[in-house]
Amino acid sequence: MRLGIIGLGKMGSNIARRLLNNKHNCVVFDLNIYIIKLFEEYGGEITFFFKDLLKKLYTPRSIWIMLPYGNITAKTIYQLIKYLNTGDTIIDGSNANFKDDISRFKLIYKKGINYLDVGVSGGIWGLSRGYCLMIGGDQPIFKIHTYIFESLSSLEKNIKFSIFNKKDYIYCGNTGSGHFVKMIHNGIEYGMMESYAEGFNIMRNHKNLNLKNISEVWIHCSVISSWLLYIIYIILKKDENLYNFIGYVNDSGECRWTINTAIEKSVSAEVLTASLYSRFRSRNNNNYADKLLSAMRYKFGGHIE
Amino acid sequence: MRLGIIGLGKMGSNIARRLLNNKHNCVVFDLNIYIIKLFEEYGGEITFFFKDLLKKLYTPRSIWIMLPYGNITAKTIYQLIKYLNTGDTIIDGSNANFKDDISRFKLIYKKGINYLDVGVSGGIWGLSRGYCLMIGGDQPIFKIHTYIFESLSSLEKNIKFSIFNKKDYIYCGNTGSGHFVKMIHNGIEYGMMESYAEGFNIMRNHKNLNLKNISEVWIHCSVISSWLLYIIYIILKKDENLYNFIGYVNDSGECRWTINTAIEKSVSAEVLTASLYSRFRSRNNNNYADKLLSAMRYKFGGHIE
Amino acid sequence: MRLGIIGLGKMGSNIARRLLNNKHNCVVFDLNIYIIKLFEEYGGEITFFFKDLLKKLYTPRSIWIMLPYGNITAKTIYQLIKYLNTGDTIIDGSNANFKDDISRFKLIYKKGINYLDVGVSGGIWGLSRGYCLMIGGDQPIFKIHTYIFESLSSLEKNIKFSIFNKKDYIYCGNTGSGHFVKMIHNGIEYGMMESYAEGFNIMRNHKNLNLKNISEVWIHCSVISSWLLYIIYIILKKDENLYNFIGYVNDSGECRWTINTAIEKSVSAEVLTASLYSRFRSRNNNNYADKLLSAMRYKFGGHIE
Amino acid sequence: MRLGIIGLGKMGSNIARRLLNNKHNCVVFDLNIYIIKLFEEYGGEITFFFKDLLKKLYTPRSIWIMLPYGNITAKTIYQLIKYLNTGDTIIDGSNANFKDDISRFKLIYKKGINYLDVGVSGGIWGLSRGYCLMIGGDQPIFKIHTYIFESLSSLEKNIKFSIFNKKDYIYCGNTGSGHFVKMIHNGIEYGMMESYAEGFNIMRNHKNLNLKNISEVWIHCSVISSWLLYIIYIILKKDENLYNFIGYVNDSGECRWTINTAIEKSVSAEVLTASLYSRFRSRNNNNYADKLLSAMRYKFGGHIE
């Protein structure tokens, strides 16, 4: 299938490469000219101008956007709405807020343009291992693009769970559903990451244990075996002391939206919230609160700290 | 190897069976005569009296205890100390508190008896899939029993992570280390379980999503793929509404000890603690607190609820 | 001062009464005709039609809205915008989201109407004890209404903290600031309430303690003395077992907004969030999560609960 | 009444001074000779040797210990047990763990010595404002010492809550009850402090608000008025930026014991636990956890932070 791809960052370039490896026909564009040039070796049709990309595609055109969440994605979509025609399709593969999809969709729909929101999991491993895709939008439009999804998703199957022989992409429902499910996916990811981090932190503070070996032995058949644990093993094998990291942890938005959604629905999400707050803490964001506690202790108890 | 096994519950009987399947020689005992009789078909040497078990083993004897945490395990160990001789070995495979191991060990050591504390992960799946074993105690004593550990641990290897070809058991360090690492393992498990539970709960409360299909698609190559997720898939495939469960969730102690340890070490464990508290909440244990909140709202705000 | 008051619920009627007691001139209106009639005895000018209220006020008119958060307040404000003239003032004393103030203000300002957002604390005790008022909007408009705020705020002063002789209302800043500060105030309130609730809950579960007497002795000079503690004492004096409450606890929105704000600002608010979630839990909102935990325990461990 | 006092730190010296101001007869001792000399000006009988203190008291002797929690208190009590006689009384006014009281009591009781455990709240303000006392032990022994408790507790009464004219000390129950109630008291204190800290932290991060004025206006008749809020006001009046504090917050043990107790009783204490963890976080105790999170993000997502 012929596909336009806008955005050649870590995720975008790997997606383009995986599609090229699977004999798809990709026309790529990025705002950064150097990144475009670097991509040349992978064999896609590179374009240096937004409008060139549009011209090089055949009607009905399909364009996959893979840009950071926020203004840049919004702007690009509004530009596309301007230049695309009835029957063309915009695929937003970024980590967007599902509410943006829904509000954005009305505009897109008015012009007869199709829209798919696709949550993509797999990280930088996806190029070789394949991606897990969660897709929202009109089902017929989803179906038209199954070749793309098929190629992006995983080929290798886990023999341990050999009953599985289905594809690794899923149609979740109407517009926003793909990003919604991806949002929850990432919320869960935060909780799992923090679960491991806390456990290893307690072990580290307790006594001399070989954390690398422990992470390894847990991978095979313990109840907590997972892909993230495998990642931890690779990390600890290289450096159990984590000297290359200072412990400043960012977040990319989805866990915030997950919590907002939980609160909207009046359900609690203690663990997911604690995971997000733990990252805020790593950035020392509560310093004024801590200072105030210290000041109170001094003022009523005479404690100096 | 010839081994005595005390306790034929869900875990004990499966361990005995897996050892028998691997040509070990097991002499088994349980306080419940019916459970012993039921075990007969699996081919171990059954005994109906504690002392019979001791007699049927050859010096130096090794006895694996697989009993529920608490008094029953403690009592059994004190009885064994009384009857065993120098050179015999007690293996506690239950979910004991590592502090009990340490205090218990002094008594055991005085009589020249050996002691290994073994954390066992694998659940009821371990019989076929094999167990992950975390072992503490004197290293030479550990080495003498490697045949046992080899047979209990997993044979199947995950091809996805094909670089792994090591055994699935680990020597963690001196007495208590095995149960310590198992305790942390379970703490992490609580956090992971709660992460999934919260995520699926929000999806359930949000809108009509096919939770079964979503759990399935996440298993292969998403970042949150794990064995627990596979369990969730099996559950949801059978009944997405979970009609057979009322939502009363027990805990078996390890997460409590994990938190106690974290607090002792002055490190926080927000997610693991939230996971435990979530289970307390499922039992409606904070009803007086909730009533007091409601009463306050009534008294200062006139709110009736 | 002559003032229109829309909304005669628990808070609105008490505010009107306190103003009347302080020789202000109140024209009141409510959608519920019975509530209006009930109010007649307090001496305000009652009106049965929205437009009557507008007619009975003198230009420039000031109208205090005291309605539940949500559609009803929004609708009333849009109606007022329609009928009011340049120089008139709308005072929203309800628990509104400060973001609504800001978006609403643009419309109001266009028509030359003034707007004050006022956070009111004091509960049903405010009628006699006075209110604490947090006010946002244009400072000159705030100043014009100081008579109102002076009368509504507390007259009695705490002799313990005798250095205080200032008024009990505060100008917080531009539009939205009053409701913003009130939102934080309520967030803190949730945290304090939950702190007491958890403490008393542990005592209740521990052993036979006279909770009523304990709450009383803490009021005077302990570090945790507070007005809420006094409320608790009154409650426990009447019924230590809280037989009249089932423990279903509502929330009125501000704590949700506080958390949303914290997350927006990338700062953590562990305690305030836990307080809100605790209320969600009291409503058994996480039942599906609990069921899924229980199902996992059954599926991998064979635990039946 | 004639009373021995061991320990002249912040709390001990103020207690001795308040008793002296109330015409009690205090014989004081501290391990630090300079502290004893400094105390001379207040008029108590100072002693430089432990045994001197014992000699200067009349049978039956009452000795109040006011030492830091831990070894020093334990050692002093064991020394006292050695030298005291039947009918003498040890009063432990420190922040002890109620479980220590119970285990300690058996030894004390054997020798016919009496024991009272007293939780003391009031901080450095207690000297002038009086203390709130929570007392455990045999009731007749409690009654013998009411003169002491009466003098230590508050004289000033809050006119706002004028119905209160009772004393500010309470007999909580048998040995350990005083320290148990004090433990819960401090647990609640942690939760309240953190509630305020989080609220002010969000305000600080949101926009330019006059935090000092806000803390002041909340003191009088808002629902969150409290003594701690008054402390906050004093702090912010002096320095709203809290330049003298770095935000490293200690804890003194009681909140840890409160959480341990909650977990033992299978009740959750989300807010109290979050308050404690917040202090751990202020000491950057989770750095390894944070580093591991950062490493995971790098390894699967290529995120560099």
Side-chain angles (χ1 to χ4, degrees):
Chain A
M1 196 174 164
R2 193 164 177 85
L3 186 79
I5 293 175
I6 297 175
L8 293 172
K10 278 190 297 283
M11 291 299 284
S13 63
N14 281 351
I15 281 176
R17 288 172 64 189
R18 191 167 172 97
L19 288 173
L20 288 166
N21 293 346
N22 282 275
K23 314 292 172 208
H24 289 278
N25 215 318
C26 299
V27 186
V28 303
F29 171 71
D30 193 284
L31 275 176
N32 187 324
I33 197 165
Y34 298 105
I35 282 182
I36 301 176
K37 280 186 176 164
L38 277 170
F39 193 81
E40 205 164 13
E41 61 168 303
Y42 301 122
E45 284 177 54
I46 60 171
T47 56
F48 293 94
F49 299 96
F50 180 72
K51 289 190 187 168
D52 275 6
L53 178 120
L54 297 178
K55 276 183 213 157
K56 288 199 174 179
L57 296 169
Y58 317 136
T59 303
R61 294 169 288 194
S62 291
I63 294 167
W64 184 295
I65 306 171
M66 206 69 193
L67 296 164
Y69 173 68
N71 280 337
I72 178 79
T73 295
K75 268 190 200 166
T76 307
I77 289 178
Y78 290 120
Q79 270 220 305
L80 284 174
I81 296 174
K82 217 161 116 189
Y83 291 107
L84 291 185
N85 302 323
T86 302
D88 290 343
T89 301
I90 299 171
I91 304 171
D92 181 6
S94 74
N95 273 327
N97 190 325
F98 73 101
K99 292 188 174 179
D100 290 343
D101 293 319
I102 294 165
S103 63
R104 191 179 280 163
F105 178 63
K106 289 165 200 162
L107 266 116
I108 296 173
Y109 194 75
K110 251 190 226 161
K111 265 206 69 176
I113 302 168
N114 305 310
Y115 183 69
L116 293 177
D117 54 288
V118 181
V120 181
S121 182
I124 52 176
W125 299 65
L127 172 59
S128 58
R129 285 188 68 212
Y131 297 96
C132 168
L133 305 172
M134 297 145 259
I135 303 144
D138 283 347
Q139 199 155 13
I141 306 306
F142 157 74
K143 282 193 179 154
I144 292 167
H145 294 84
T146 44
Y147 298 110
I148 297 293
F149 303 137
E150 190 81 42
S151 300
L152 285 176
S153 67
S154 182
L155 299 174
E156 41 155 336
K157 295 300 166 196
N158 194 328
I159 56 147
K160 206 192 282 178
F161 312 138
S162 54
I163 53 160
F164 293 98
N165 46 12
K166 292 224 190 125
K167 48 204 165 358
D168 286 349
Y169 58 91
I170 187 173
Y171 173 72
C172 298
N174 54 6
T175 300
S177 301
H179 283 148
F180 181 86
V181 173
K182 178 62 177 8
M183 175 190 84
I184 298 292
H185 166 281
N186 280 37
I188 293 172
E189 180 192 332
Y190 277 62
M192 289 173 68
M193 285 174 69
E194 179 71 15
S195 301
Y196 288 119
E198 291 182 5
F200 279 91
N201 190 49
I202 299 170
M203 287 199 286
R204 174 87 177 181
N205 279 275
H206 180 66
K207 61 176 190 174
N208 216 18
L209 292 165
N210 188 321
L211 300 189
K212 191 260 292 176
N213 285 352
I214 290 169
S215 70
E216 186 184 4
V217 84
W218 283 347
I219 291 176
H220 289 306
C221 55
S222 93
V223 174
I224 61 171
S225 75
S226 76
W227 193 60
L228 276 168
L229 186 59
Y230 170 62
I231 296 280
I232 291 171
Y233 163 70
I234 299 175
I235 291 163
L236 297 180
K237 197 170 64 168
K238 210 178 146 198
D239 174 19
E240 206 175 297
N241 296 308
L242 306 172
Y243 282 130
N244 291 319
F245 301 92
I246 55 160
Y248 182 101
V249 195
N250 277 317
D251 74 286
S252 46
E254 300 90 351
C255 196
R256 301 179 186 222
W257 309 330
T258 304
I259 295 165
N260 289 341
T261 306
I263 290 177
E264 243 180 76
K265 299 286 163 189
S266 303
V267 296
S268 62
E270 286 88 350
V271 156
L272 307 192
T273 311
S275 305
L276 179 65
Y277 285 173
S278 194
R279 297 198 180 182
F280 290 169
R281 286 277 177 178
S282 80
R283 304 174 212 158
N284 203 20
N285 287 3
N286 279 50
N287 196 242
Y288 192 75
D290 294 338
K291 284 179 173 182
L292 190 55
L293 288 177
S294 195
M296 279 190 254
R297 279 172 56 77
Y298 171 69
K299 205 70 202 169
F300 71 69
H303 303 288
I304 293 162
E305 40 201 11
Chain B
M1 195 173 165
R2 193 164 177 83
L3 185 79
I5 292 175
I6 297 176
L8 293 173
K10 278 189 297 283
M11 291 299 284
S13 63
N14 279 354
I15 280 176
R17 287 172 64 190
R18 189 166 172 98
L19 288 173
L20 288 166
N21 292 346
N22 282 275
K23 313 295 173 205
H24 290 278
N25 215 319
C26 299
V27 187
V28 303
F29 171 71
D30 193 285
L31 276 176
N32 187 324
I33 197 165
Y34 297 104
I35 282 182
I36 302 175
K37 280 185 177 165
L38 277 171
F39 193 82
E40 206 164 13
E41 59 168 305
Y42 301 122
E45 284 176 56
I46 61 171
T47 57
F48 292 95
F49 299 96
F50 180 71
K51 290 192 186 167
D52 275 7
L53 178 120
L54 296 178
K55 275 184 215 157
K56 288 201 173 177
L57 296 167
Y58 317 135
T59 302
R61 294 170 289 193
S62 291
I63 296 167
W64 184 296
I65 307 172
M66 207 69 194
L67 295 165
Y69 172 68
N71 280 336
I72 179 78
T73 294
K75 267 190 201 165
T76 306
I77 288 178
Y78 290 120
Q79 269 219 304
L80 283 174
I81 294 174
K82 215 162 117 190
Y83 290 107
L84 291 184
N85 301 322
T86 302
D88 289 345
T89 300
I90 300 171
I91 303 169
D92 182 5
S94 74
N95 273 328
N97 190 326
F98 73 100
K99 292 189 175 179
D100 290 343
D101 294 319
I102 293 166
S103 62
R104 192 179 278 163
F105 178 62
K106 290 166 198 162
L107 266 115
I108 295 174
Y109 194 74
K110 249 190 225 161
K111 264 206 69 176
I113 303 168
N114 305 310
Y115 183 70
L116 293 176
D117 55 286
V118 182
V120 181
S121 182
I124 52 176
W125 299 66
L127 172 58
S128 58
R129 285 188 68 212
Y131 298 95
C132 169
L133 305 172
M134 297 145 257
I135 303 145
D138 285 345
Q139 197 155 12
I141 306 306
F142 157 72
K143 284 194 176 150
I144 292 167
H145 294 84
T146 44
Y147 298 110
I148 297 292
F149 303 137
E150 190 79 43
S151 300
L152 285 176
S153 66
S154 183
L155 298 175
E156 40 155 337
K157 296 299 166 199
N158 194 327
I159 57 147
K160 205 193 284 178
F161 311 138
S162 54
I163 53 158
F164 294 98
N165 46 12
K166 291 225 190 126
K167 48 201 167 357
D168 286 348
Y169 57 93
I170 189 174
Y171 173 73
C172 298
N174 55 5
T175 300
S177 302
H179 283 147
F180 181 86
V181 173
K182 178 62 176 13
M183 175 190 84
I184 298 293
H185 166 281
N186 281 36
I188 293 171
E189 181 192 333
Y190 276 63
M192 290 173 68
M193 286 173 68
E194 179 71 16
S195 300
Y196 287 119
E198 291 182 5
F200 279 91
N201 190 50
I202 299 170
M203 287 199 286
R204 174 87 176 181
N205 278 276
H206 180 66
K207 61 177 189 172
N208 216 16
L209 292 164
N210 188 320
L211 301 189
K212 192 259 291 176
N213 285 352
I214 290 169
S215 70
E216 186 184 3
V217 84
W218 283 346
I219 291 176
H220 290 305
C221 54
S222 93
V223 175
I224 62 170
S225 75
S226 76
W227 193 61
L228 277 167
L229 186 59
Y230 171 62
I231 295 282
I232 289 171
Y233 164 69
I234 299 176
I235 291 164
L236 297 180
K237 197 170 63 169
K238 212 179 144 197
D239 173 19
E240 205 176 298
N241 295 308
L242 304 173
Y243 282 131
N244 291 318
F245 301 92
I246 54 161
Y248 181 101
V249 195
N250 277 317
D251 74 287
S252 46
E254 300 90 353
C255 196
R256 300 180 187 222
W257 310 329
T258 304
I259 295 165
N260 289 340
T261 305
I263 290 177
E264 244 180 75
K265 299 286 162 191
S266 302
V267 296
S268 63
E270 285 87 351
V271 156
L272 307 192
T273 309
S275 305
L276 180 65
Y277 286 172
S278 193
R279 296 197 181 183
F280 290 169
R281 287 277 177 176
S282 79
R283 304 173 213 158
N284 203 19
N285 286 3
N286 278 51
N287 196 242
Y288 192 76
D290 294 339
K291 284 179 172 181
L292 190 55
L293 289 177
S294 194
M296 279 190 255
R297 279 171 56 77
Y298 172 68
K299 206 69 203 171
F300 72 68
H303 303 287
I304 293 162
E305 39 202 11
Chain C
M1 195 172 164
R2 194 163 176 84
L3 186 78
I5 293 176
I6 296 175
L8 293 173
K10 279 188 298 282
M11 291 299 285
S13 64
N14 280 350
I15 280 175
R17 288 172 64 190
R18 190 167 172 98
L19 288 173
L20 288 166
N21 293 344
N22 282 275
K23 314 293 172 208
H24 290 279
N25 216 318
C26 299
V27 187
V28 302
F29 171 71
D30 193 284
L31 275 176
N32 187 324
I33 197 166
Y34 299 103
I35 282 182
I36 301 175
K37 280 185 177 165
L38 276 171
F39 193 81
E40 205 165 13
E41 59 168 306
Y42 301 122
E45 284 176 54
I46 62 171
T47 56
F48 292 95
F49 299 96
F50 179 71
K51 290 192 186 166
D52 275 7
L53 178 120
L54 297 178
K55 276 182 213 156
K56 288 200 174 177
L57 296 168
Y58 316 135
T59 301
R61 294 168 291 193
S62 291
I63 294 167
W64 184 295
I65 305 171
M66 206 70 194
L67 295 164
Y69 172 68
N71 280 337
I72 179 79
T73 294
K75 267 189 201 167
T76 307
I77 289 179
Y78 290 121
Q79 270 220 304
L80 283 174
I81 295 174
K82 215 161 118 191
Y83 291 107
L84 291 185
N85 300 324
T86 301
D88 289 344
T89 301
I90 299 171
I91 304 170
D92 182 5
S94 74
N95 273 327
N97 190 326
F98 73 100
K99 293 189 173 178
D100 291 342
D101 293 318
I102 293 165
S103 63
R104 190 179 280 162
F105 177 63
K106 290 166 199 162
L107 267 115
I108 295 173
Y109 194 75
K110 249 189 226 162
K111 264 206 66 175
I113 303 168
N114 305 310
Y115 183 68
L116 293 177
D117 54 288
V118 182
V120 181
S121 182
I124 53 176
W125 299 66
L127 173 58
S128 57
R129 285 189 68 212
Y131 298 95
C132 168
L133 305 173
M134 296 145 258
I135 303 144
D138 284 346
Q139 198 155 11
I141 306 306
F142 157 73
K143 283 194 177 150
I144 292 168
H145 295 84
T146 45
Y147 298 109
I148 296 293
F149 303 137
E150 189 81 41
S151 299
L152 284 176
S153 68
S154 182
L155 298 175
E156 40 153 338
K157 295 299 166 198
N158 195 326
I159 57 149
K160 205 193 282 179
F161 311 138
S162 55
I163 52 159
F164 293 98
N165 45 12
K166 292 225 190 125
K167 46 205 167 355
D168 286 349
Y169 58 92
I170 188 174
Y171 173 72
C172 298
N174 54 5
T175 300
S177 302
H179 283 148
F180 182 86
V181 173
K182 178 62 178 10
M183 175 190 83
I184 298 292
H185 166 281
N186 281 36
I188 294 172
E189 181 192 333
Y190 276 62
M192 290 174 68
M193 285 174 69
E194 180 71 15
S195 301
Y196 288 119
E198 291 182 6
F200 279 91
N201 189 50
I202 300 169
M203 287 199 285
R204 175 87 177 181
N205 279 276
H206 180 65
K207 62 176 189 174
N208 217 16
L209 292 165
N210 188 320
L211 300 188
K212 191 259 292 175
N213 285 351
I214 290 169
S215 69
E216 186 185 4
V217 83
W218 283 346
I219 291 176
H220 290 306
C221 55
S222 93
V223 174
I224 61 171
S225 76
S226 75
W227 194 60
L228 276 167
L229 186 59
Y230 171 62
I231 295 281
I232 290 172
Y233 164 70
I234 298 175
I235 292 164
L236 297 180
K237 197 170 64 168
K238 211 177 145 200
D239 173 18
E240 207 175 296
N241 295 308
L242 305 172
Y243 282 130
N244 291 319
F245 302 91
I246 54 161
Y248 181 101
V249 195
N250 277 317
D251 75 285
S252 45
E254 299 90 352
C255 195
R256 300 178 187 222
W257 309 330
T258 304
I259 295 166
N260 289 341
T261 306
I263 289 177
E264 244 181 76
K265 299 286 162 189
S266 302
V267 296
S268 63
E270 286 87 350
V271 156
L272 307 192
T273 310
S275 305
L276 180 66
Y277 285 173
S278 194
R279 296 197 181 184
F280 290 169
R281 287 276 177 178
S282 79
R283 304 174 211 157
N284 203 20
N285 287 3
N286 279 50
N287 196 242
Y288 192 75
D290 294 338
K291 283 180 172 181
L292 190 55
L293 289 177
S294 195
M296 280 190 254
R297 279 172 55 77
Y298 171 69
K299 206 70 202 170
F300 71 70
H303 303 287
I304 293 162
E305 37 201 13
Chain D
M1 196 173 163
R2 194 165 176 82
L3 185 79
I5 292 175
I6 296 175
L8 293 172
K10 278 188 298 282
M11 291 299 284
S13 63
N14 280 352
I15 281 177
R17 287 172 64 189
R18 189 166 171 98
L19 288 173
L20 288 166
N21 293 344
N22 282 275
K23 313 295 171 206
H24 290 278
N25 215 318
C26 298
V27 187
V28 304
F29 171 71
D30 193 285
L31 275 175
N32 186 324
I33 198 167
Y34 298 104
I35 282 182
I36 301 176
K37 281 187 175 162
L38 278 171
F39 192 81
E40 206 165 13
E41 59 168 306
Y42 301 122
E45 285 177 53
I46 62 171
T47 57
F48 292 96
F49 300 97
F50 181 71
K51 289 192 185 165
D52 275 7
L53 177 120
L54 297 178
K55 275 184 213 155
K56 288 199 173 177
L57 297 168
Y58 317 135
T59 303
R61 294 170 288 194
S62 290
I63 295 167
W64 184 295
I65 306 171
M66 206 69 193
L67 296 164
Y69 173 68
N71 280 338
I72 179 79
T73 295
K75 267 190 199 166
T76 306
I77 289 178
Y78 289 121
Q79 270 220 305
L80 283 174
I81 295 174
K82 215 161 119 190
Y83 292 108
L84 292 184
N85 302 322
T86 303
D88 288 345
T89 301
I90 299 170
I91 304 170
D92 181 7
S94 74
N95 272 329
N97 190 325
F98 72 101
K99 292 189 174 179
D100 291 342
D101 293 319
I102 293 165
S103 62
R104 191 179 279 162
F105 177 62
K106 290 165 198 163
L107 266 115
I108 295 173
Y109 195 75
K110 250 190 225 162
K111 264 206 68 176
I113 302 168
N114 305 311
Y115 183 70
L116 294 177
D117 55 287
V118 182
V120 181
S121 181
I124 52 176
W125 300 64
L127 173 59
S128 58
R129 285 188 69 213
Y131 297 95
C132 168
L133 305 172
M134 298 145 258
I135 303 144
D138 284 346
Q139 198 156 14
I141 306 307
F142 156 73
K143 282 193 177 151
I144 292 167
H145 294 83
T146 44
Y147 298 110
I148 296 293
F149 303 137
E150 189 81 42
S151 300
L152 285 176
S153 66
S154 182
L155 299 175
E156 40 155 338
K157 295 299 167 197
N158 194 327
I159 57 147
K160 205 193 283 181
F161 310 140
S162 55
I163 54 159
F164 294 99
N165 45 13
K166 291 226 191 126
K167 47 204 169 354
D168 287 347
Y169 58 91
I170 188 174
Y171 173 72
C172 298
N174 54 6
T175 300
S177 302
H179 283 147
F180 181 86
V181 174
K182 178 61 178 8
M183 176 190 83
I184 299 292
H185 166 281
N186 281 36
I188 294 171
E189 181 192 333
Y190 276 62
M192 290 173 67
M193 285 173 69
E194 179 71 16
S195 300
Y196 288 119
E198 291 182 5
F200 279 90
N201 190 50
I202 299 169
M203 288 199 286
R204 174 88 178 180
N205 279 276
H206 181 66
K207 62 175 189 174
N208 217 16
L209 292 165
N210 188 320
L211 301 189
K212 192 259 290 175
N213 285 352
I214 290 169
S215 70
E216 186 184 4
V217 83
W218 282 347
I219 291 175
H220 290 306
C221 54
S222 94
V223 174
I224 61 170
S225 75
S226 75
W227 193 61
L228 277 167
L229 185 60
Y230 171 61
I231 296 281
I232 290 171
Y233 164 69
I234 298 175
I235 291 164
L236 296 180
K237 197 171 63 169
K238 212 179 144 196
D239 173 20
E240 207 176 297
N241 296 309
L242 305 173
Y243 282 131
N244 291 318
F245 302 92
I246 54 161
Y248 182 101
V249 194
N250 277 317
D251 74 286
S252 46
E254 299 90 353
C255 196
R256 300 179 187 223
W257 309 330
T258 304
I259 295 166
N260 289 341
T261 305
I263 290 177
E264 243 180 76
K265 298 286 162 190
S266 303
V267 295
S268 63
E270 286 86 352
V271 156
L272 307 191
T273 309
S275 305
L276 181 65
Y277 286 173
S278 194
R279 297 198 181 183
F280 291 168
R281 286 277 178 177
S282 79
R283 303 175 212 157
N284 203 18
N285 286 4
N286 278 50
N287 195 242
Y288 192 76
D290 294 339
K291 284 179 172 180
L292 191 55
L293 288 177
S294 194
M296 278 190 256
R297 278 171 57 77
Y298 171 70
K299 205 70 203 170
F300 71 68
H303 304 288
I304 292 163
E305 38 202 13

